[in-house]
Amino acid sequence: MSPRPTPLLLVHGFWFGSWCWSEVIARVAAAGRVAQAVDLAGHGLRARWPKCLAQSPENADSLVAQVMRGDPGVIGALRIDLASADADYRRRLRAAYFDDIAPDAAEAAIGLLTPDSPLAMQIDSTRLTRDGWGSVPRTYVVCEQDWALRPAVQRRLIAEADAAFPENPTSVVTLDSSHSPFLSMPGQVADIFTKLH
């Protein structure tokens, strides 16, 4: 009898919530894997107005800067305007996060985003230990058409993780997708997850 695969814990990114994994979880479950998605603090039903500020020069050509509202230093958050009626702004918002899904599906997803997002991990100190995070197998899905977190930044994050824990290198998978492959290609994302041990 072979051992049961490790359950999968799916964690969303900024502005998103556990809802973004619904299409993937259905496919992962159909393949016989156990998966759970969680809402991080400040997201989903626990969304509040966090204080944050950060910038990444490698992400300078991303569309995120074009959809930010207000001065993060003043409002204490990276804020996007989910209720904007400005057609050009909404087009840029869709392009930043949902460039490869149908506009009506993108609009539905925009309605589920959290307007403010914390960046405390980037500005606060986080201590990663070899026995903790350093021992966890990592798989990073690089999204080649991502206009929110540019591929160069994604590769830098992978390189930094590998430099910190060289005995536990990151497995890398590349998708020709925008920022949200869990919505544009949930079957491919589920295939990646179901192959994890």
Side-chain angles (χ1 to χ4, degrees):
M1 188 163 121
S2 61
R4 296 175 72 187
T6 304
L8 301 169
L9 178 64
L10 307 181
V11 181
H12 62 83
F14 292 147
W15 295 290
F16 289 78
S18 60
W19 60 266
C20 72
W21 297 111
S22 61
E23 295 291 322
V24 174
I25 286 180
R27 288 166 171 83
V28 168
R33 290 293 299 267
V34 174
Q36 173 76 37
V38 296
D39 282 318
L40 294 176
H43 294 80
L45 295 176
R46 294 176 294 200
R48 299 296 178 267
W49 309 113
K51 296 187 178 217
C52 54
L53 173 64
Q55 283 199 322
S56 177
E58 297 90 345
N59 214 33
D61 68 340
S62 84
L63 294 178
V64 170
Q66 296 179 31
V67 296
M68 298 303 300
R69 292 293 195 233
D71 180 347
V74 173
I75 63 175
L78 292 179
R79 179 169 292 162
I80 53 180
D81 184 1
L82 305 177
S84 175
D86 179 337
D88 185 56
Y89 177 81
R90 294 196 77 77
R91 179 195 56 75
R92 287 181 283 138
L93 192 58
R94 285 192 308 270
Y97 301 107
F98 311 111
D99 201 32
D100 56 351
I101 67 173
D104 59 337
E107 284 295 327
I110 288 170
L112 295 171
L113 294 173
T114 300
D116 283 6
S117 193
L119 289 177
M121 281 186 7
Q122 290 187 1
I123 59 173
D124 290 344
S125 294
T126 301
R127 183 170 164 77
L128 303 177
T129 65
R130 190 166 308 287
D131 293 335
W133 191 82
S135 68
V136 176
R138 295 179 303 277
T139 297
Y140 193 106
V141 178
V142 174
C143 300
E144 290 292 348
Q145 304 305 318
D146 191 337
W147 284 99
L149 189 64
R150 299 300 289 142
V153 177
Q154 297 174 53
R155 290 185 179 91
R156 187 191 87 203
L157 295 172
I158 295 164
E160 288 176 358
D162 289 350
F165 304 103
E167 69 286 350
N168 184 19
T170 306
S171 171
V172 178
V173 179
T174 301
L175 290 178
D176 190 31
S177 75
S178 73
H179 189 71
S180 303
F182 37 81
L183 298 177
S184 64
M185 47 183 70
Q188 288 174 267
V189 174
D191 287 344
I192 294 166
F193 288 173
T194 56
K195 292 175 184 165
L196 299 175
H197 298 324

